[in-house]
Amino acid sequence: MTENAQQQPSAPNTELPTQYAPADVEGPLYERWVERGYFEADAKSEKPPYTIVIPPPNVTGSLHLGHAFEHTLIDALTRRKRMQGYETLWQPGMDHAGIATQNVVERELGKEGKSRHDLGREAFVERVWQWKGESGGQIGGQMRRLGDGVAWSRERFTMDEGLSQAVQTIFKRLYDDELIYRAERIINWCPRCLTAISDIEVEYQDDDGELVSMKYGEGDDTIVVATTRAETMLGDTAVAVHPDDERYKHLVGKEIRLPLTERFIPVVADTHVDPEFGTGAVKVTPAHDPNDFEIGQRHNLPSLTIMDEHAVITAHGPFQGLDRLEARSAIVAALRAEGRIVAEKRPYVHSVGHCSRCKTTIEPRLSMQWWVKVGPLAKAAGDAVRDGRVKIHPQEMEKRYFDWVDNLHDWCISRQLWWGHRIPVWYGPNGEVVCVGPDEEAPTGEGWRQDTDVLDTWFSSGLWPFSTLGWPEPTESLAKFYPNSVLVTGYDILFFWVARMMMFGLYAMDGTPPFHTIALHGMVRDQFGKKMSKSFGNAVNPLDWMDKYGSDALRFTLARGANPGVDVPIGEDWVQGSRNFANKIWNATRFALMNGATVDGPLPDASKLSATDRWILSRLNSVVAEVDALYEDYQFAKLSDALFHFAWDEVFDWYVELSKTTFMAGGEPAKVSGRVLGEVLDVTLKLLHPVVPFVTETLWTTLTGGESVVIAKWPTDSGFRDAAAEKEIESLQSVITEVRRFRADQGLQPGQRVPARLTLDGTALAPHEAAIRQLLRLQPEGEDFSATATLPVAGATVALDLSGTIDVAAERKRLAKDLAAAEKEKAQAGAKLGNEAFLAKAPDNVVDKIRTRLAKADEDIARIKTQLERLPQA
């Protein structure tokens, strides 16, 4: 049989309220778990480790459905492993979120009529820490609402002292290994936040712009170029054409006049240019376009910066001091006045990058920044997956990972902010550059100054799997819990956060990757598959649904949608359905307790069990094995669905119903079934606990008297199977299902009793006659019994006397009318589908609807004819 979890310390309390009230249960239960230290992890433990980090949410953030989804999956994994006997660490913490946090505090200052410059750097940073203490991290309370089993005593923050030491240490090591350098390159610049931003902080959207074609040069030396950013022509230092383009071979090497300026610029040949696109000639602005910068490097072109950090024109001339958008219009007008405009297209819809924080259009800008040379680091990250040290799940996501790490550009890590890890580099009065490690003294004296930039937030979060464990110190926690067992995260940050953790982990930890498995999930969407957004009006605050339906209901809904790497649609009615499931578990357990379900003592020997008992125990072990296999494959949707159908359909709807006659009869069989039902509930509640922790905790402790299901032993498959019992109960289910369907077809009420003769001799169903009659409301045949309908099912025969229950003539008349309507519908749909002229003109969706109507009519005709055949003769 199945293995009972643990010796129960006390007699169970069989009293349960008539209804489950999540709001009364969840908060106190969670605090009890935390107080008892169930979620803490002991580095000295001899248990095998199981480690997962929380993808650190921004300190400015709050719980959204994406967080709730991801946290549900991680919590399910860690709760199961804890029950399996692992020393389980779910590492919590938050990210300092450089730009986002600085923006929040700057907005607060703005309400006071101040800017950060009014405070100065030191006072401003102090103000941010004050805000963090008072307002930051509200997500922690929301995690408690969801039931997150994290080790709260180990909570970390990417700006705390230990993590700051880790950041400084790895910066120094990378710098000394010549993997960090400073150079002037094109970066994404936000004129509002006044900082470089990473690719992940750029959001692209289709904007209405303009495409202007303009003529450079004079006479035979003219050439037409097109641009959506006319203002950047002030910084052009060349025009590029493809070297094989015959149209422009006479111009390559020549200099042509740049309009509106006194400058002449060369025409260069470069294979980057697509001769088939537009005119086949492109303007080259090395200081304001990443592709142009590369062309400029190849041809030794000067880079002219024509805007300041606010995107205001700095180039000498009439446009100096204009905002970039004002300059765009003014320059087009000036070119038009000179007869230089060849074509204008408005609106011209094109993809434009915006700052994800403030929505300002980003500006490519040549800037002196700090960079990580990612070549060797990215190769190591790719090799770790290729040689199997790290598994990506689902496996088809590997290609996307390789496409990224194999083509990774050097990473700009400096940000022009005040909030964050300040770059540990000092500049001396005579051009000296000194990188300072955490145990080194910074240079002092006149003329020495520290770099004013801070590091990209992803730099510190890339250290998360080991910095949270005390690295660079050789701590017990680091030895015990590194590498992480699995990383659970969205596929959307595979390239950014995941790749950086891989690079840093392999580099800092002597080639040991930060995790064994990367389990990728999709994004939460609304019930129609649309992205959730406040602007779309479909964003949902998960706290609202938790308040309304309970945290378990939200968790179960999210888990049932979690297929690996696939987006998850969710609607409120699905959460309501999960609430109904929680209520079903509650009510079924309550019924079981009132009817003698118990976990006391060992299970009876198989010889003392009924076929129904053996069937449910056989199915229980199969489900244990199935759920275990699905957990190991991160198939949360399938395991949740398996548990749902086993609990609701097999345990509650079949076993409990089939056992009612046994319980009513009493005696030894009732005691045996009570022990079996207790075992089934014990194991089922444990299997459900990782996904729906609150209701299962309440029910399991009530059923067993155990301390907590959180620390109960995870069920194991004992190997017990009884194929004969399973086949027998399947036959029983077939009889009951078929007769119920027939009763419904004849319009009988569920509780209406009908005389019946059961012929069960010679079948495995003979011992189940009492249960069949009870469940189907079949009374014994009387002296005047007349079989008006006979149903042969599963080798048995059920004869029913319907003479006193339905008006056969009226029922035949009703069914004949329904049959005529279905046949008419079939004829109409068939005629349309047979009309070639109609099919040629009708839209596909209309034709599909008619095909559906035809199929439905066929089904209705078959069903009605069967009902007519089964009716007694009038």
Side-chain angles (χ1 to χ4, degrees):
M1 310 305 170
T2 53
E3 181 181 331
N4 196 19
Q6 59 185 29
Q7 294 296 316
Q8 310 306 334
S10 60
N13 170 19
T14 58
E15 292 298 320
L16 281 174
T18 55
Q19 291 183 324
Y20 177 51
D24 297 338
V25 169
E26 293 174 353
L29 266 188
Y30 187 84
E31 291 309 315
R32 189 183 313 153
W33 292 334
V34 173
E35 288 167 6
R36 292 179 177 178
Y38 293 156
F39 305 140
E40 295 303 323
D42 183 3
K44 292 182 171 64
S45 168
E46 294 183 1
K47 296 178 183 178
Y50 187 80
T51 316
I52 295 182
V53 295
I54 186 175
N58 288 353
V59 67
T60 58
S62 59
L63 191 73
H64 56 64
L65 271 180
H67 287 125
F69 172 55
E70 186 167 78
H71 290 201
T72 294
L73 305 187
I74 299 175
D75 196 40
L77 290 173
T78 54
R79 283 179 183 271
R80 171 176 173 261
K81 285 296 183 180
R82 189 178 292 111
M83 294 172 74
Q84 286 183 314
Y86 286 79
E87 192 63 33
T88 302
L89 169 60
W90 182 8
Q91 174 66 55
M94 288 182 293
D95 192 284
H96 65 279
I99 295 177
T101 307
Q102 180 156 320
N103 282 348
V104 167
V105 178
E106 285 197 79
R107 281 196 296 269
E108 293 295 318
L109 284 174
K111 295 175 184 177
E112 303 170 14
K114 297 178 182 178
S115 74
R116 60 182 164 121
H117 299 285
D118 294 324
L119 271 66
R121 183 168 192 144
E122 188 175 331
F124 176 77
V125 170
E126 198 173 298
R127 179 70 176 261
V128 180
W129 277 108
Q130 179 185 339
W131 174 87
K132 190 259 182 187
E134 295 172 355
S135 308
Q138 61 175 310
I139 203 167
Q142 295 165 338
M143 287 167 60
R144 284 174 155 83
R145 283 289 313 276
L146 191 64
D148 287 1
V150 299
W152 286 112
S153 69
R154 292 173 171 266
E155 186 174 12
R156 303 304 298 269
F157 180 54
T158 52
M159 285 284 287
D160 69 28
E161 185 177 349
L163 270 65
S164 295
Q165 181 184 17
V167 168
Q168 195 173 353
T169 299
I170 202 161
F171 187 99
K172 171 69 172 175
R173 291 187 187 178
L174 289 165
Y175 181 86
D176 289 346
D177 287 343
E178 298 183 348
L179 293 172
I180 282 183
Y181 64 94
R182 193 168 183 245
E184 197 172 41
R185 298 268 185 87
I186 293 284
I187 44 88
N188 302 310
W189 181 263
C190 176
R192 156 61 184 80
C193 298
L194 298 180
T195 182
I197 60 176
S198 65
D199 291 337
I200 198 173
E201 293 163 325
V202 178
E203 292 179 348
Y204 287 90
Q205 65 185 49
D206 288 340
D207 286 357
D208 288 342
E210 60 181 358
L211 180 66
V212 179
S213 298
M214 47 197 181
K215 184 169 58 177
Y216 287 10
E218 309 291 347
D220 293 337
D221 292 345
T222 59
I223 193 166
V224 175
V225 297
T227 184
T228 57
R229 300 163 66 221
E231 69 279 7
T232 63
M233 60 87 60
L234 298 175
D236 287 357
T237 56
V239 171
V241 298
H242 194 277
D244 298 331
D245 196 330
E246 294 293 335
R247 294 172 294 175
Y248 302 118
K249 281 203 170 180
H250 68 289
L251 288 176
V252 174
K254 286 188 175 182
E255 289 195 337
I256 59 174
R257 181 173 174 270
L258 180 66
L260 307 183
T261 73
E262 300 301 322
R263 293 191 291 115
F264 282 79
I265 59 176
V267 177
V268 299
D270 196 282
T271 54
H272 171 76
V273 180
D274 181 1
E276 303 298 322
F277 183 76
T279 64
V282 297
K283 58 190 287 298
V284 182
T285 321
H288 293 278
D289 183 275
N291 293 321
D292 292 3
F293 177 79
E294 297 297 332
I295 293 174
Q297 293 289 296
R298 288 193 288 273
H299 297 277
N300 296 315
L301 300 174
S303 297
L304 301 181
T305 299
I306 54 108
M307 291 182 218
D308 66 13
E309 64 270 23
H310 297 280
V312 171
I313 301 298
T314 57
H316 292 296
F319 311 108
Q320 187 174 10
L322 294 180
D323 172 79
R324 57 182 166 168
L325 299 182
E326 296 171 336
R328 184 175 301 170
S329 300
I331 286 170
V332 170
L335 290 168
R336 192 183 299 115
E338 284 193 7
R340 295 277 180 177
I341 299 297
V342 176
E344 296 178 72
K345 185 175 181 181
R346 295 189 186 89
Y348 178 72
V349 179
H350 62 130
S351 182
V352 178
H354 296 259
C355 173
S356 63
R357 305 299 178 190
C358 67
K359 311 309 176 187
T360 302
T361 301
I362 64 106
E363 189 66 40
R365 187 168 188 258
L366 185 64
S367 179
M368 183 67 76
Q369 301 285 345
W370 284 94
W371 303 81
V372 172
K373 186 186 295 183
V374 299
L377 302 174
K379 182 182 183 303
D383 289 346
V385 174
R386 286 188 170 94
D387 64 24
R389 282 176 290 157
V390 177
K391 305 288 186 186
I392 292 181
H393 192 279
Q395 190 174 359
E396 54 265 28
M397 287 285 184
E398 279 187 4
K399 183 180 183 302
R400 296 179 66 180
Y401 176 79
F402 292 137
D403 286 345
W404 180 258
V405 297
D406 293 347
N407 299 285
L408 203 57
H409 296 294
D410 285 1
W411 170 22
C412 176
I413 56 171
S414 45
R415 299 290 180 267
Q416 290 64 56
L417 303 171
W418 288 356
W419 172 245
H421 296 103
R422 195 165 174 181
I423 288 176
V425 172
W426 272 255
Y427 305 105
N430 300 312
E432 302 96 333
V433 179
V434 176
C435 180
V436 178
D439 299 322
E440 299 173 348
E441 291 291 331
T444 57
E446 187 176 348
W448 283 93
R449 58 183 178 83
Q450 186 178 358
D451 196 299
T452 57
D453 289 351
V454 300
L455 288 163
D456 178 12
T457 297
W458 294 101
F459 191 94
S460 52
S461 58
L463 314 181
W464 194 246
F466 52 94
S467 64
T468 51
L469 298 173
W471 186 90
E473 299 302 321
T475 64
E476 287 183 320
S477 290
L478 189 64
K480 177 74 173 180
F481 296 112
Y482 187 91
N484 289 191
S485 305
V486 61
L487 173 76
V488 178
T489 192
Y491 63 69
D492 58 323
I493 56 174
L494 172 64
F495 313 132
F496 304 103
W497 187 45
V498 178
R500 280 151 175 71
M501 286 191 292
M502 285 286 283
M503 291 191 296
F504 282 166
L506 289 158
Y507 173 80
M509 299 300 295
D510 299 321
T512 302
F515 17 73
H516 298 301
T517 301
I518 302 168
L520 299 169
H521 59 72
M523 304 296 103
V524 178
R525 298 182 178 273
D526 72 11
Q527 59 189 319
F528 306 108
K530 190 175 181 180
K531 180 181 177 182
M532 284 192 173
S533 165
K534 289 181 181 178
S535 60
F536 294 155
N538 63 350
V540 175
N541 183 345
L543 293 177
D544 293 340
W545 282 352
M546 286 192 279
D547 288 342
K548 196 170 183 180
Y549 303 110
S551 298
D552 285 334
L554 176 63
R555 289 171 61 116
F556 194 67
T557 304
L558 291 166
R560 283 192 83 183
N563 291 297
V566 179
D567 288 347
V568 183
I570 185 172
E572 184 170 1
D573 54 337
W574 303 344
V575 185
Q576 186 174 356
S578 295
R579 188 271 313 274
N580 295 343
F581 178 53
N583 289 341
K584 182 78 170 180
I585 302 170
W586 183 272
N587 292 332
T589 305
R590 188 168 176 272
F591 167 84
L593 288 168
M594 290 189 296
N595 284 274
T598 179
V599 295
D600 292 340
L603 278 171
D605 186 76
S607 62
K608 296 182 179 180
L609 301 178
S610 69
T612 307
D613 294 333
R614 296 195 306 276
W615 160 73
I616 197 63
L617 290 173
S618 180
R619 287 292 306 128
L620 179 66
N621 276 285
S622 295
V623 169
V624 169
E626 181 183 7
V627 168
D628 273 335
L630 291 170
Y631 260 116
E632 295 305 315
D633 200 34
Y634 305 100
Q635 297 282 356
F636 297 98
K638 290 181 180 179
L639 72 89
S640 298
D641 211 47
L643 286 170
F644 173 86
H645 287 294
F646 175 70
W648 192 307
D649 300 343
E650 298 186 75
V651 179
F652 305 148
D653 279 357
W654 281 111
Y655 182 72
V656 169
E657 291 299 317
L658 290 170
S659 299
K660 281 183 177 178
T661 53
T662 303
F663 288 134
M664 286 189 291
E668 187 62 25
K671 291 182 179 179
V672 170
S673 289
R675 177 65 188 90
V676 171
L677 180 54
E679 179 78 5
V680 171
L681 286 175
D682 174 22
V683 173
T684 302
L685 290 170
K686 289 173 186 169
L687 293 175
L688 283 165
H689 173 72
V691 181
V692 285
F694 294 107
V695 67
T696 52
E697 171 79 341
T698 305
L699 295 175
W700 187 85
T701 53
T702 302
L703 171 71
T704 69
E707 180 184 340
S708 173
V709 71
V710 176
I711 55 171
K713 188 174 181 182
W714 182 254
T716 56
D717 173 14
S718 69
F720 175 78
R721 300 290 189 279
D722 192 323
E726 290 194 37
K727 186 175 181 180
E728 181 176 327
I729 301 305
E730 284 172 10
S731 297
L732 177 59
Q733 291 171 329
S734 296
V735 170
I736 294 170
T737 301
E738 188 62 24
V739 176
R740 279 176 173 168
R741 184 181 297 119
F742 176 76
R743 287 176 56 110
D745 287 343
Q746 307 312 315
L748 296 175
Q749 295 299 313
Q752 191 172 353
R753 304 193 71 82
V754 178
R757 176 186 298 143
L758 304 184
T759 306
L760 307 176
D761 293 343
T763 74
L765 298 174
H768 301 287
E769 179 169 353
I772 292 172
R773 288 188 177 277
Q774 172 68 23
L775 292 174
L776 292 173
R777 304 295 189 267
L778 303 179
Q779 63 190 39
E781 55 190 289
E783 292 183 6
D784 56 350
F785 177 83
S786 175
T788 58
T790 303
L791 304 176
V793 188
T797 302
V798 180
L800 304 174
D801 183 354
L802 304 179
S803 56
T805 57
I806 62 172
D807 184 335
V808 176
E811 185 64 12
R812 281 190 174 278
K813 185 176 180 180
R814 182 184 71 79
L815 290 173
K817 183 178 178 182
D818 290 346
L819 181 61
E823 289 175 335
K824 180 179 179 181
E825 173 74 0
K826 178 179 178 178
Q828 291 176 341
K832 285 188 176 182
L833 293 174
N835 186 334
E836 294 295 334
F838 170 78
L839 293 176
K841 294 180 181 178
D844 290 345
N845 65 320
V846 173
V847 175
D848 288 342
K849 285 182 180 179
I850 294 173
R851 288 196 178 107
T852 301
R853 283 171 49 196
L854 179 60
K856 176 68 165 51
D858 281 332
E859 291 174 5
D860 289 344
I861 291 169
R863 176 179 54 80
I864 295 167
K865 284 183 176 179
T866 300
Q867 290 176 244
L868 283 166
E869 289 171 3
R870 287 176 166 176
L871 274 177
Q873 297 300 314

